[in-house]
Amino acid sequence: MAPRRPKGAGAFPKVVATPAPAPPDPASLYAALDLGTNSCRMLIAQPKGSQFHVVDSFSKSVQLGTGLESSGRLSRASMARTVQALRICKGKLEKHQVARMRLVATEACRRATNAREFIGFVRRETGLDLEIIEPEEEARLAVVSCAPLVSTRTEQLLVVDIGGGSTELVWIDLSAVPRTERPRAIMRLHGGFHMPDSPFPAARVVDWISVPLGVATLKEQFDDVEDDHARFALMSWFFEENLADFSPYSAEQVTEGFQIIGTSGTVTTVAASHLGLRRYDRTKVDGLRMTSTQIDQVIRTYLYLGPEGRRADPRIGRDRHALIMSGAAILQALMRVWPTDRLSVADRGLREGLLYAQMSADGVLEDGPF
């Protein structure tokens, strides 16, 4: 005789609903929006320890600067595309009831003769107040965002932010800062590159420069060159010529204790290609270190693929294939001037810097003071 089954055996277990996590308190939220020459990006986050936790995000290629190089103006089509993206951002800000935010625009709006008209158009259509920031603040915020990636062994640091319309380079001397304090000394630069006397060890900004050439503007300058290899070489050498006023350009090369941190879609795309990622994974890219040789190998692969091959390469992505070679040309020029085996890849930038600066000013980050 078969044993009797316990009552209820074989029945489907009861479904126990897992309670949804409570939405974050709107009072703890901060937002940062970066409207660049090519992209519109936004983060909504809340402080968590000495970092922050991202609650919501948005990123879209709007190509605001299309045609700006030749006309000096933002086109109607570009402004309409951008406003559509900003409406989505406005919806997210309202959904999360965010009260503290900075919404900034950079090089395209700095250069466009009709920028004020555009800012007014955005305000009327979306209710958002965009602020056009100066190159120094853009560079400073990019530096601050990279503070967690600064090695305690780094004495000379070069932070490079390759944007759509401009590229910012900042050279920082950390040799007078105790090793364990170096990342925090970088964070304290959010208040300015030349801070008044402070009781804390200070990072010294040796020099900084904003080159009015980014992935979009550099590409437009050489659009008439048909040969792929020739266009790449011309872009790279032209960008290097524009570094002549940057004082560390001609400085004696340093290798010991020298670190470059690169922040941009170009750098993260090159890193993803190096890793062979068919699907982008920020956790594998942010903080990755690459050698000059590894970067050169990726760039040679891009050139071998040609325009059609790059368009079809999933590691590059359809949004970036048209701009990857101008970005790679900038990156190659930097590696030619400052060869290093310690280029750190940063999947972070202006938005993160804006968040850190707001949170630091409010004193809501732990392990301060910043």
Side-chain angles (χ1 to χ4, degrees):
M1 181 176 177
R4 293 184 61 186
R5 294 170 62 189
K7 188 176 180 181
F12 288 109
K14 288 184 178 180
V15 176
V16 178
T18 303
D25 178 5
S28 71
L29 296 180
Y30 292 76
L33 185 145
D34 166 19
L35 177 59
T37 303
N38 191 55
S39 302
C40 175
R41 302 184 180 95
M42 185 178 74
L43 287 177
I44 297 174
Q46 59 185 158
K48 187 176 183 180
S50 61
Q51 303 289 317
F52 55 76
H53 168 68
V54 175
V55 172
D56 205 346
S57 64
F58 175 80
S59 180
K60 187 171 181 61
S61 173
V62 293
Q63 299 172 32
L64 178 61
T66 299
L68 177 62
E69 195 69 26
S70 55
S71 70
R73 295 175 58 83
L74 304 174
S75 72
R76 288 181 180 274
S78 299
M79 291 192 290
R81 278 195 305 272
T82 303
V83 163
Q84 286 180 344
L86 290 170
R87 284 196 183 106
I88 298 173
C89 294
K90 172 70 170 180
K92 288 178 177 286
L93 291 169
E94 289 182 338
K95 172 188 171 185
H96 295 287
Q97 304 174 53
V98 184
R100 286 169 293 193
M101 65 188 81
R102 278 197 77 188
L103 318 175
V104 307
T106 56
E107 186 68 10
C109 288
R110 286 197 290 261
R111 294 175 60 183
T113 56
N114 60 339
R116 291 296 167 190
E117 175 188 327
F118 169 66
I119 297 296
F121 177 50
V122 168
R123 188 180 299 113
R124 290 192 303 274
E125 293 295 319
T126 68
L128 298 178
D129 283 312
L130 289 178
E131 170 191 0
I132 302 174
I133 61 171
E134 293 301 314
E136 179 175 338
E137 185 172 11
E138 182 178 1
R140 192 170 72 235
L141 291 167
V143 167
V144 167
S145 75
C146 294
L149 301 181
V150 175
S151 168
T152 56
R153 297 190 302 274
T154 297
E155 298 199 346
Q156 301 295 322
L157 173 69
L158 175 63
V159 177
V160 182
D161 181 10
I162 305 173
S166 65
T167 299
E168 280 67 46
L169 293 87
V170 185
W171 191 289
I172 302 164
D173 182 351
L174 291 163
S175 59
V177 181
R179 287 191 171 196
T180 56
E181 282 290 308
R182 287 172 185 176
R184 295 172 69 188
I186 295 295
M187 185 73 80
R188 284 193 284 270
L189 291 174
H190 75 83
F193 278 160
H194 303 287
M195 296 290 288
D197 290 342
S198 165
F200 305 107
R204 184 173 70 89
V205 176
V206 176
D207 197 9
W208 74 276
I209 188 173
S210 180
V211 181
L213 293 169
V215 294
T217 45
L218 184 58
K219 176 183 178 294
E220 279 195 33
Q221 292 236 8
F222 293 91
D223 260 348
D224 58 338
V225 181
E226 293 185 7
D227 183 81
D228 196 43
H229 286 71
R231 182 170 57 250
F232 174 77
L234 287 168
M235 288 191 296
S236 187
W237 287 108
F238 182 66
F239 182 83
E240 185 178 335
E241 287 175 5
N242 280 267
L243 295 176
D245 292 334
F246 187 50
S247 64
Y249 175 76
S250 56
E252 183 179 342
Q253 294 297 331
V254 291
T255 53
E256 193 67 30
F258 173 54
Q259 181 183 10
I260 298 181
I261 298 179
T263 170
S264 72
T266 293
V267 178
T268 56
T269 300
V270 167
S273 294
H274 166 65
L275 294 172
L277 301 180
R278 298 184 70 83
R279 189 177 188 86
Y280 187 80
D281 185 342
R282 183 183 188 274
T283 61
K284 293 180 179 176
V285 170
D286 187 50
L288 176 75
R289 289 185 179 176
M290 296 183 68
T291 65
S292 300
T293 301
Q294 289 168 337
I295 292 168
D296 281 341
Q297 286 173 343
V298 172
I299 292 174
R300 282 199 298 271
T301 301
Y302 289 165
L303 286 168
Y304 172 77
L305 287 171
E308 293 303 318
R310 293 192 293 268
R311 185 178 293 112
D313 192 324
R315 300 169 304 171
I316 298 174
R318 293 196 171 272
D319 278 352
R320 189 155 296 278
H321 74 87
L323 300 172
I324 189 59
M325 293 317 295
S326 49
I330 293 171
L331 190 55
Q332 188 194 63
L334 298 171
M335 294 296 95
R336 190 164 56 239
V337 178
W338 296 288
T340 178
D341 60 355
R342 295 185 64 197
L343 181 131
S344 300
V345 178
D347 186 349
R348 53 186 71 211
L350 183 53
R351 293 174 303 167
E352 288 83 357
L354 286 163
L355 288 172
Y356 278 130
Q358 289 179 85
M359 293 175 185
S360 295
D362 288 352
V364 295
L365 293 176
E366 292 179 6
D367 300 329
F370 295 125

